[in-house]
Amino acid sequence: MPVKSAISRFPLELKIGVCGCCGALRPRYKRLVDNIFPEDPEDGLVKTNMEKLTFYALSAPEKLDRIGAYLSERLIRDVGRHRYGYVCIAMEALDQLLMACHCQSINLFVESFLKMVAKLLESEKPNLQILGTNSFVKFANIEEDTPSYHRSYDFFVSRFSEMCHSSHDDLEIKTKIRMSGIKGLQGVVRKTVNDELQANIWDPQHMDKIVPSLLFNLQHVEEAESRSPSPLQAPEKEKENPAELAERCLRELLGRAAFGNIKNAIKPVLIHLDNHSLWEPKVFAIRCFKIIMYSIQPQHSHLVIQQLLGHLDANSRSAATVRAGIVEVLSEAAVIAATGSVGPTVLEMFNTLLRQLRLSIDYALTGSYDGSYDGAGVSLGTKIIKEHEERMFQEAVIKTIGSFASTLPTYQRSEVILFIMSKVPLPSLHHPMETGRTGENRNRLTQIMLLKSLLQVSLGFQCSNMMSALPSNFLDRLLSTALMDDPEIRLFVLEILISFIDRHGNRHKFSSISTLSDISVLKLKVDKCSRQDTVFMKKHSQQLYRHIYLCCKEETNTQKHYEALYGLLALISIELANEEVVVDLIRLVLAIQDLAQVNEENLPIYNRCALYALGAAYLNLISQLTTVPAFCQHIHEVIETRKKEAPYMLPEDVFVEKPRLSQDLDGVVIEFLFRQSKISEVLGGSGYNSDRLSLPYIPQLTDEDRLSKRKSIGETISLQVEVESRNSPEREERVPAEEITYETLKKAIVDSVAVEEQERERRRQVVEKFQKAPFEEIAAHCGARASLLQSKLNQIFEITIRPPPSPSGTITAAYGQPQNHSIPVYEMKFPDLCVY
């Protein structure tokens, strides 16, 4: 029979005697451990004996592992016997030994310590779980001197995560258990995150437990914020609130994440939001990613953006509300990321958003996520797509594009603008017309959405050089869409141009059309036109004027279109105008007035009155900007005359909710019109180019205008033939046009290249001659050219000034040649019936 079982059968008196005799034979470390336990556990740890045990452990560190094993044995036995007082004493002793001992043998002691903590965490008693967690947290804060190669924290991650999801019936106990679980996870992170020898806490198997546990407790943060404790009570409330503790732990976790660990930390967040349907309310999802973006290192921001973009693509067939939630979260995250470092994800982000925009348009048209529908436009898909939800998603995408672009520097913003414009489908003769369930054209919706996005990007765009803001390739594509039949597209193009040109915040001052007697009340910000702007206008002004003129001819224009045209004219006058531009703008507006007067386009009454009113408002503005008194007086007189006799030609009567129009505009008298001759006269006296002012503005019609109307090839050719035949004085004698073939086009291109090469070589030779030739040779050359020019001029003058032949006939000169006898006009005799 074993001695231990035999002693247990002895009477109590004899048992005490035997133990007393054998106690001196026990190892010293056991006796020291036993002495720290009092007879009554309520008395607590015996401090003097604990000091002896600590001194012994420091003196004999090789015994530390045996001390830990024995303490672990006693604790397990006390837990089984429900002697929780002694359990608390054992854990206190372990904590003190851990704090005091940092020798090389600490690893073996730690194994015993973790074994005891695990035993407490396995208990069903909440107090023991909390006790074990507190001990583990103290251990986590200790910096060990020696590495550990075989320690594992898998159990603790799982157990602490389980405690974070506690559903105890008692609310107070449940809160304490959850907070203990969060503290435990925080301890695990602190212990392992910076130690390469420890288990990799960033592995997906661990992150998939830690992150959802923290987010689960973070969901109650709104309730905590609604209570809004005072600053003095904040520390106490912070300890009592699992949501705030979880947020602090999550921030610490993400703040320690290295470049290669961001993906493993973000993926569980996305999965958690998917599983709990937290994208649709959006509030919690936005809160989570704000925490993430402000916690990670700035140079890692683009990794989070990439994760969100990938998740958006993965959910491209999800409900529109889910995709809208992801997009809005992406918007918030991108704005924060732009303040740090977005890196190469700028165009990637815009490309993904534009792709999602196109998919949403397809979904709305087909009514199906797989794009299948029958001939009647009925969806063959299994999911029901709500069009209003898709529109909400599209608006969210456009808003995200604008908010993110507003944070980018100018050079990146310019790249984004060009990138979006390159995605806009332009009118084409061979483009198929596709209709969906709503009967709308896919290309038209795509154009509208992309132009909306471009408008959002252009708002607030500041660029001192218009050549950089509106490069030729961008402006050509943008103005091509301005000539389409769709009024909504035209309006977007006008607003985009206004956004680019307005660099001083004057746009809102021209939101309504009026004829102010004093424009100083507008407090306009006007700067002198720079050299770069002058170059821009020399290159593109005629192109802008032509599109403005052609836009005015559209029958489908509304009040918003005329307000946008007025704003565009006004901003060009303020931002980009010099004397030449002012002259051209006045000519353009007078041509618009003629357009309403002649009415070759058969415009409705409202459109004609609107054009008259638009011209009056602009000329009133430009006259006060030029500050030429005679010009201002003429404009003022015409406006006053209209106020008395033709108010329907002024913006105050036209651009109102109920326009007051005239049914007969054919009898407009000259007093109601701004006269080009008068304006040319008064401005010519102030130094403006009167010759140019006297010329009427005539836009040059190009093939681009016709193609933008989506006419067929036959219509385009017939229109060209009709115009040519109408301008020909003798239609029957016209030579048939040369047939255009591939060979003729090729020959034209080759010839033009050869001519350019010859011209370039000639210029080079001239420059070289003037640089290297002696002065006498250059002078002789110039003198010869001057003599040649003078002789040519003399010939021209002789032909043009020579009077007509005499009515009396001819006379015979020398050599028998008949010669016309020329006499001055004033000496000529005319018949009596000749009347001038």
Side-chain angles (χ1 to χ4, degrees):
M1 179 181 297
V3 177
K4 185 173 181 181
S5 61
I7 295 176
S8 64
R9 297 188 179 186
F10 291 163
L12 181 59
E13 295 79 2
L14 183 58
K15 185 190 302 183
I16 294 175
V18 172
C19 292
C21 295
C22 300
L25 301 178
R26 303 180 66 199
R28 183 181 179 185
Y29 72 89
K30 287 189 177 182
R31 295 199 305 271
L32 291 174
V33 170
D34 291 336
N35 292 337
I36 65 174
F37 293 94
E39 294 183 3
D40 187 359
E42 294 182 359
D43 294 339
L45 183 67
V46 181
K47 294 183 179 181
T48 55
N49 294 335
M50 186 63 212
E51 293 175 358
K52 294 179 181 179
L53 178 61
T54 303
F55 179 77
Y56 177 76
L58 293 173
S59 303
E62 69 278 1
K63 301 291 185 180
L64 191 59
D65 57 331
R66 299 185 182 183
I67 295 174
Y70 185 57
L71 275 171
S72 175
E73 180 184 343
R74 287 202 54 144
L75 183 138
I76 294 173
R77 183 179 62 198
D78 292 335
V79 169
R81 296 179 179 179
H82 304 289
R83 300 168 64 178
Y84 302 124
Y86 289 120
V87 172
C88 295
I89 293 173
M91 291 308 299
E92 184 179 357
L94 285 169
D95 294 340
Q96 292 190 20
L97 288 173
L98 277 174
M99 298 297 294
C101 302
H102 293 281
C103 60
Q104 295 182 353
S105 303
I106 190 70
N107 284 330
L108 297 177
F109 177 73
V110 168
E111 295 298 329
S112 301
F113 169 78
L114 294 178
K115 183 179 180 182
M116 288 183 280
V117 172
K119 183 65 178 180
L120 295 180
L121 294 176
E122 290 174 347
S123 174
E124 297 180 357
K125 298 291 182 179
N127 292 335
L128 295 183
Q129 297 176 15
I130 297 172
L131 177 64
T133 303
N134 293 336
S135 295
F136 184 84
V137 171
K138 293 177 182 177
F139 161 71
N141 293 327
I142 298 175
E143 294 184 4
E144 301 182 44
D145 297 334
T146 55
S148 175
Y149 298 93
H150 307 291
R151 195 177 302 166
S152 175
Y153 296 95
D154 295 355
F155 168 79
F156 296 99
V157 172
S158 301
R159 183 55 184 159
F160 288 139
S161 300
E162 183 180 350
M163 291 170 64
C164 290
H165 293 81
S166 174
S167 58
H168 199 279
D169 296 334
D170 191 331
L171 179 61
E172 183 177 358
I173 296 176
K174 179 176 68 176
T175 301
K176 290 181 178 180
I177 294 176
R178 288 187 177 182
M179 291 188 66
S180 296
I182 298 171
K183 291 178 181 178
L185 292 177
Q186 190 177 27
V188 173
V189 171
R190 289 178 179 176
K191 198 66 181 175
T192 60
V193 72
N194 292 326
D195 192 348
E196 296 180 357
L197 297 177
Q198 302 286 0
N200 190 1
I201 201 66
W202 301 106
D203 287 342
Q205 59 179 346
H206 299 310
M207 285 290 105
D208 291 345
K209 298 175 183 177
I210 295 175
V211 175
S213 301
L214 298 177
L215 295 179
F216 177 78
N217 287 275
L218 193 60
Q219 291 180 25
H220 304 281
V221 70
E222 289 81 7
E223 300 177 3
E225 288 181 349
S226 63
R227 293 193 290 268
S228 62
S230 63
L232 296 177
Q233 297 174 341
E236 183 179 355
K237 298 296 290 183
E238 188 176 0
K239 294 179 182 179
E240 296 175 357
N241 190 352
E244 295 182 6
L245 184 61
E247 178 180 344
R248 190 166 65 250
C249 181
L250 182 61
R251 290 182 184 275
E252 181 178 350
L253 174 68
L254 296 170
R256 296 171 180 267
F259 182 87
N261 302 324
I262 293 294
K263 182 178 179 180
N264 292 340
I266 302 301
K267 187 176 180 180
V269 178
L270 301 174
I271 296 175
H272 180 83
L273 296 175
D274 287 341
N275 294 338
H276 295 269
S277 302
L278 295 174
W279 292 111
E280 298 180 26
K282 296 175 291 190
V283 178
F284 178 72
I286 292 176
R287 176 64 185 268
C288 286
F289 275 90
K290 280 186 175 180
I291 293 173
I292 292 171
M293 298 304 296
Y294 283 119
S295 300
I296 62 176
Q297 300 178 26
Q299 61 268 26
H300 299 161
S301 300
H302 67 281
L303 297 177
V304 181
I305 302 298
Q306 287 178 342
Q307 287 284 99
L308 281 169
L309 292 174
H311 197 67
L312 179 61
D313 282 336
N315 286 270
S316 58
R317 294 178 181 269
S318 299
T321 52
V322 174
R323 286 179 279 130
I326 299 175
V327 167
E328 292 199 18
V329 171
L330 182 62
S331 174
E332 297 287 341
V335 171
I336 299 173
T339 59
S341 173
V342 184
T345 60
V346 175
L347 292 182
E348 177 187 354
M349 176 178 176
F350 285 101
N351 190 31
T352 301
L353 292 175
L354 294 179
R355 182 169 62 251
Q356 292 296 323
L357 202 58
R358 287 177 176 271
L359 288 175
S360 178
I361 292 172
D362 290 340
Y363 296 159
L365 286 174
T366 62
S368 171
Y369 287 118
D370 55 7
S372 59
Y373 56 97
D374 58 14
V378 179
S379 170
L380 301 178
T382 57
K383 294 184 179 180
I384 299 176
I385 295 179
K386 299 179 181 178
E387 291 185 13
H388 71 279
E389 292 182 353
E390 291 296 337
R391 284 195 295 270
M392 290 175 58
F393 169 71
Q394 294 164 11
E395 293 297 329
V397 172
I398 294 171
K399 178 183 175 183
T400 300
I401 290 174
S403 61
F404 180 46
S406 63
T407 62
L408 297 176
T410 303
Y411 73 95
Q412 279 190 330
R413 205 165 175 180
S414 300
E415 292 178 358
V416 170
I417 289 170
L418 294 175
F419 180 74
I420 295 177
M421 195 65 222
S422 66
K423 299 292 184 180
V424 178
L426 292 179
S428 174
L429 292 174
H430 308 288
H431 204 87
M433 300 290 290
E434 302 179 20
T435 57
R437 185 177 59 185
T438 59
E440 302 224 33
N441 178 256
R442 177 180 284 102
N443 291 327
R444 174 186 174 275
L445 291 178
T446 303
Q447 290 167 348
I448 291 175
M449 290 303 167
L450 293 179
L451 289 175
K452 276 186 178 181
S453 304
L454 193 59
L455 178 61
Q456 288 292 324
V457 176
S458 64
L459 291 176
F461 181 70
Q462 297 291 333
C463 186
S464 58
N465 188 355
M466 290 302 298
M467 295 293 291
S468 301
L470 294 172
S472 299
N473 55 347
F474 170 78
L475 190 61
D476 292 342
R477 293 180 65 89
L478 181 64
L479 293 179
S480 297
T481 59
L483 300 176
M484 298 185 65
D485 287 329
D486 195 288
E488 189 174 2
I489 292 178
R490 294 200 308 272
L491 183 59
F492 280 130
V493 174
L494 293 174
E495 291 178 348
I496 290 169
L497 287 172
I498 290 173
S499 299
F500 279 112
I501 296 175
D502 181 26
R503 294 173 292 182
H504 294 88
N506 294 316
R507 173 182 183 174
H508 66 281
K509 300 172 184 177
F510 303 110
S511 57
S512 60
I513 308 178
S514 62
T515 54
L516 293 174
S517 58
D518 184 9
I519 64 171
S520 61
V521 297
L522 296 177
K523 297 180 179 179
L524 299 174
K525 299 178 182 178
V526 183
D527 284 342
K528 186 178 180 181
C529 182
S530 64
R531 181 177 177 274
Q532 293 86 353
D533 294 342
T534 303
V535 174
F536 172 80
M537 290 304 291
K538 283 185 177 180
K539 185 176 182 181
H540 298 292
S541 59
Q542 296 304 320
Q543 191 179 11
L544 287 172
Y545 302 154
R546 183 168 63 88
H547 283 79
I548 292 174
Y549 181 83
L550 295 176
C551 282
C552 291
K553 296 171 63 175
E554 296 292 339
E555 296 183 6
T556 55
N557 285 343
T558 61
Q559 179 177 341
K560 290 185 177 180
H561 290 83
Y562 294 113
E563 289 174 350
L565 287 168
Y566 173 68
L568 182 58
L569 289 169
L571 289 171
I572 292 176
S573 305
I574 293 174
E575 298 281 352
L576 306 172
N578 50 27
E579 290 187 2
E580 183 180 348
V581 173
V582 169
V583 169
D584 286 341
L585 287 173
I586 293 174
R587 292 174 57 226
L588 172 62
V589 173
L590 291 175
I592 293 174
Q593 177 183 259
D594 294 341
L595 182 65
Q597 182 185 9
V598 178
N599 196 26
E600 290 182 351
E601 303 291 331
N602 294 323
L603 295 175
I605 294 294
Y606 174 80
N607 295 62
R608 296 177 66 187
C609 291
L611 292 179
Y612 280 127
L614 173 63
Y618 176 73
L619 290 176
N620 175 68
L621 173 68
I622 197 66
S623 65
Q624 298 185 54
L625 288 175
T626 55
T627 64
V628 177
F631 185 30
C632 294
Q633 182 180 359
H634 172 66
I635 302 301
H636 179 70
E637 289 175 356
V638 176
I639 291 176
E640 289 299 322
T641 305
R642 289 187 180 184
K643 284 182 180 179
K644 294 177 182 179
E645 303 181 26
Y648 50 85
M649 300 174 69
L650 292 175
E652 286 77 9
D653 277 28
V654 177
F655 301 117
V656 291
E657 185 176 355
K658 295 181 179 180
R660 296 178 287 274
L661 309 176
S662 173
Q663 297 302 321
D664 184 15
L665 292 177
D666 296 332
V668 175
V669 297
I670 193 171
E671 287 79 8
F672 298 165
L673 301 177
F674 302 99
R675 298 189 297 278
Q676 189 160 4
S677 59
K678 179 66 175 179
I679 295 175
S680 175
E681 177 185 348
V682 296
L683 288 181
S686 299
Y688 288 86
N689 190 342
S690 58
D691 294 337
R692 190 174 181 87
L693 268 171
S694 60
L695 294 175
Y697 173 77
I698 301 176
Q700 182 182 3
L701 197 64
T702 63
D703 291 337
E704 175 194 10
D705 308 326
R706 303 187 185 101
L707 295 184
S708 63
K709 301 297 183 182
R710 299 187 179 185
K711 294 182 178 179
S712 65
I713 298 178
E715 290 175 335
T716 303
I717 296 176
S718 64
L719 180 61
Q720 293 174 345
V721 172
E722 181 182 355
V723 172
E724 292 174 357
S725 62
R726 186 177 300 174
N727 295 333
S728 175
E730 300 179 357
R731 302 179 186 177
E732 65 277 2
E733 296 181 6
R734 285 185 64 243
V735 179
E738 180 184 359
E739 183 181 1
I740 299 176
T741 62
Y742 171 76
E743 293 297 331
T744 57
L745 291 175
K746 181 179 179 181
K747 181 179 179 182
I749 294 173
V750 173
D751 291 345
S752 63
V753 173
V755 170
E756 290 180 0
E757 290 293 335
Q758 293 175 2
E759 180 67 18
R760 191 179 297 109
E761 180 64 22
R762 187 187 67 80
R763 290 180 179 179
R764 188 189 63 79
Q765 292 176 358
V766 170
V767 172
E768 185 177 357
K769 179 178 181 181
F770 275 86
Q771 287 177 346
K772 299 180 180 180
F775 175 76
E776 291 78 8
E777 182 180 348
I778 296 176
H781 176 73
C782 293
R785 293 188 61 183
S787 301
L788 178 62
L789 176 62
Q790 186 63 40
S791 64
K792 294 293 183 183
L793 288 175
N794 292 335
Q795 294 178 10
I796 294 173
F797 292 152
E798 184 180 357
I799 295 173
T800 56
I801 299 176
R802 179 188 301 166
S806 172
S808 60
T810 61
I811 61 174
T812 303
Y815 307 107
Q817 296 291 334
Q819 181 181 7
N820 290 332
H821 180 67
S822 298
I823 58 176
V825 176
Y826 55 84
E827 294 183 0
M828 293 173 61
K829 295 180 180 180
F830 296 94
D832 295 337
L833 296 177
C834 185
V835 180
Y836 284 88

